[in-house]
Amino acid sequence: MGQTADLLSLNNELFKTYLFYSVVLMVKLILMAPLTGRQRYKNMAFANPEDADTNNVKVKTHDDVERVRRAHLNDLENIPAFIITSFAYILTNPEIEFATLLFKAFTAARFVHTFVYALYVVPQPARALSFFVGLLITLYMAFVSIYHFM
Amino acid sequence: MGQTADLLSLNNELFKTYLFYSVVLMVKLILMAPLTGRQRYKNMAFANPEDADTNNVKVKTHDDVERVRRAHLNDLENIPAFIITSFAYILTNPEIEFATLLFKAFTAARFVHTFVYALYVVPQPARALSFFVGLLITLYMAFVSIYHFM
Amino acid sequence: MGQTADLLSLNNELFKTYLFYSVVLMVKLILMAPLTGRQRYKNMAFANPEDADTNNVKVKTHDDVERVRRAHLNDLENIPAFIITSFAYILTNPEIEFATLLFKAFTAARFVHTFVYALYVVPQPARALSFFVGLLITLYMAFVSIYHFM
């Protein structure tokens, strides 16, 4: 047994770091829902008749709501993929400082992505850059893992 | 090594409970697809030309289809976040009865959410309440985990 | 402790196979984003005003973009569910050759699904078949796991 249990142990600083950033990213992800809700109320733009009725408006869409929803979907498309991939990556026994740097950079990139997408819109390439930093980190860890486990 | 392997062991009742509810929630999640399909056929509302052609109708959207799709997306936004967060939470070595209660309450809240959203629409706050019960449980476990692993 | 740590060990060929296919599927999933981007540029169909402005076009939707996005969402609805369910399934100590076959078949089915949905559209039932192969594999593993852990 040995090695695997050592890597998936709380005695392994990298595994603790992984758990920490995974949970931080999950909090970030699920808080997109209240952020969408805030835009729905601000713009009185609801998707469900029962919600619109309560507020005496008709169902409608609004650009600011859809923007937050796209940022939310982008998180869904990228964050779980990072968490699953980095779980495998930890088991390749990577150099701890470097792996920690990747986890931190991915997390920062996703916060920046949401900020420039949904909170304070700045011109490209801010959003594209933060997206690609996250994507490339996940792809890098994926290729290391695939090569290691094939 | 010790503690971590003990927590992630089938000898730990909480880990077994976690696996059980995670899989139940995944079954619930993927069965939203046939539920959407049922609404598509019932209302002859297809998203793809090749599907509409087969049924001799034009591509269109329908409120009842979109409602199930929103419930499905809401599951996607919340259930994987719960499963990842509770994996970390187990490793904080929580009191077993209390953690089991959280897992059961989250699972029940998600079934209620889908029921009042997509199967039998009831006025708010039924949907909002079931959503927030799930969200708050995940956030609670997340903050315990973040505090523990930082 | 024993058994669980043995199953979640790199000495267990099935766990290595699981890590390999999980990461392959994550790469497949996140590469749907550049595929969407390619369709957006090809058809000059952007969702964000800041992106449309840069290309001197107006925000619009396009069928080929929406088709790739539906394929991407379908991946999101099915691949993480497979990865979580098969993690539990491994812990039921299944017959290794059979479990490996399920992992390979699921992975193949998802690649076929995307190919016939978003790259080279073929008439039904190609997409429905590949979808249901994946769904039934996940459901099978889920029911084995639920029965084992309840």
Side-chain angles (χ1 to χ4, degrees):
Chain A
M1 190 199 66
Q3 203 188 5
T4 318
D6 291 343
L7 294 170
L8 294 183
S9 160
L10 298 180
N11 294 328
N12 179 6
E13 275 305 312
L14 184 58
F15 188 55
K16 281 173 73 173
T17 304
Y18 165 74
L19 292 169
F20 177 77
Y21 286 103
S22 294
V23 175
V24 167
L25 285 164
M26 287 297 102
V27 170
K28 184 243 168 292
L29 175 78
I30 61 178
L31 290 183
M32 296 303 283
L35 206 61
T36 306
R38 194 183 65 131
Q39 287 294 343
R40 288 202 182 281
Y41 276 93
K42 191 172 156 194
N43 299 293
M44 285 287 135
F46 301 97
N48 296 295
E50 64 270 28
D51 303 344
D53 287 354
T54 312
N55 293 283
N56 293 311
V57 294
K58 288 197 178 303
V59 165
K60 65 167 180 176
T61 57
H62 189 283
D63 280 353
D64 291 351
V65 175
E66 297 309 308
R67 179 177 285 279
V68 180
R69 292 185 67 217
R70 285 194 297 272
H72 195 172
L73 187 58
N74 199 280
D75 273 356
L76 271 184
E77 291 168 355
N78 290 285
I79 296 178
F82 165 81
I83 291 175
I84 289 164
T85 302
S86 46
F87 180 81
Y89 179 62
I90 289 172
L91 294 173
T92 68
N93 200 9
E95 210 271 309
I96 291 186
E97 277 78 32
F98 182 64
T100 302
L101 183 68
L102 294 180
F103 296 174
K104 285 182 180 171
F106 180 91
T107 305
R110 293 311 308 178
F111 276 93
V112 171
H113 183 270
T114 295
F115 186 78
V116 301
Y117 201 173
L119 291 177
Y120 184 78
V121 183
V122 301
Q124 292 282 23
R127 195 183 91 231
L129 275 180
S130 59
F131 171 75
F132 278 110
V133 166
L135 190 76
L136 290 177
I137 289 172
T138 305
L139 284 179
Y140 167 77
M141 298 193 307
F143 287 124
V144 170
S145 304
I146 286 173
Y147 183 76
H148 195 269
F149 292 117
M150 78 184 171
Chain B
M1 189 199 66
Q3 204 189 5
T4 317
D6 291 344
L7 293 171
L8 293 183
S9 159
L10 299 180
N11 295 327
N12 179 5
E13 275 305 312
L14 184 59
F15 188 54
K16 281 174 74 173
T17 303
Y18 165 74
L19 293 169
F20 177 77
Y21 285 103
S22 294
V23 175
V24 166
L25 285 163
M26 286 298 101
V27 171
K28 185 243 167 290
L29 175 78
I30 61 178
L31 290 183
M32 296 304 283
L35 206 62
T36 306
R38 194 183 66 130
Q39 287 293 342
R40 288 203 182 281
Y41 277 94
K42 190 172 155 193
N43 299 293
M44 285 288 133
F46 301 97
N48 297 295
E50 65 270 28
D51 303 345
D53 287 353
T54 312
N55 293 282
N56 295 310
V57 294
K58 288 198 179 303
V59 165
K60 65 168 182 177
T61 56
H62 188 283
D63 280 354
D64 291 350
V65 174
E66 297 309 306
R67 179 177 284 279
V68 180
R69 292 185 67 217
R70 286 195 296 273
H72 196 172
L73 187 58
N74 199 279
D75 273 355
L76 271 183
E77 291 168 356
N78 290 284
I79 295 179
F82 164 81
I83 291 175
I84 290 165
T85 303
S86 45
F87 180 81
Y89 178 63
I90 289 172
L91 294 172
T92 68
N93 199 11
E95 210 269 312
I96 292 187
E97 277 79 32
F98 182 64
T100 302
L101 183 68
L102 293 181
F103 296 174
K104 285 182 181 173
F106 180 91
T107 305
R110 294 310 309 177
F111 275 94
V112 170
H113 184 270
T114 295
F115 187 77
V116 301
Y117 201 172
L119 291 176
Y120 184 80
V121 183
V122 301
Q124 291 281 24
R127 196 182 91 232
L129 274 180
S130 58
F131 171 76
F132 278 111
V133 166
L135 190 77
L136 290 176
I137 289 172
T138 305
L139 285 178
Y140 167 78
M141 297 193 306
F143 287 124
V144 170
S145 304
I146 286 173
Y147 182 77
H148 194 268
F149 293 116
M150 78 184 172
Chain C
M1 188 200 67
Q3 202 189 7
T4 318
D6 292 342
L7 293 171
L8 293 183
S9 161
L10 298 180
N11 295 327
N12 178 5
E13 276 304 313
L14 184 59
F15 187 55
K16 281 173 74 173
T17 303
Y18 166 74
L19 293 169
F20 176 77
Y21 285 104
S22 294
V23 175
V24 166
L25 285 163
M26 287 298 101
V27 171
K28 185 243 167 290
L29 175 79
I30 62 179
L31 290 184
M32 295 304 284
L35 204 63
T36 306
R38 194 183 65 131
Q39 287 293 343
R40 288 202 182 281
Y41 276 92
K42 191 172 156 193
N43 298 294
M44 285 287 135
F46 301 98
N48 297 294
E50 64 271 28
D51 304 343
D53 287 352
T54 312
N55 294 281
N56 294 310
V57 293
K58 288 198 178 304
V59 165
K60 66 168 180 175
T61 57
H62 188 282
D63 281 353
D64 291 351
V65 175
E66 297 308 307
R67 179 177 286 278
V68 180
R69 293 184 66 217
R70 284 194 297 273
H72 196 171
L73 187 59
N74 198 280
D75 273 355
L76 271 183
E77 291 168 355
N78 289 284
I79 294 178
F82 165 81
I83 291 175
I84 290 165
T85 302
S86 45
F87 181 81
Y89 179 63
I90 289 172
L91 294 172
T92 68
N93 199 11
E95 209 271 311
I96 292 187
E97 277 78 32
F98 182 63
T100 302
L101 182 69
L102 294 181
F103 296 175
K104 287 182 180 172
F106 181 90
T107 305
R110 294 312 306 177
F111 275 93
V112 170
H113 184 270
T114 295
F115 187 78
V116 301
Y117 201 172
L119 292 177
Y120 183 80
V121 182
V122 300
Q124 291 282 24
R127 196 183 90 232
L129 274 180
S130 59
F131 171 76
F132 278 111
V133 166
L135 189 76
L136 291 176
I137 289 172
T138 305
L139 285 178
Y140 168 77
M141 297 193 307
F143 287 124
V144 170
S145 304
I146 287 173
Y147 183 76
H148 194 268
F149 292 116
M150 77 186 172

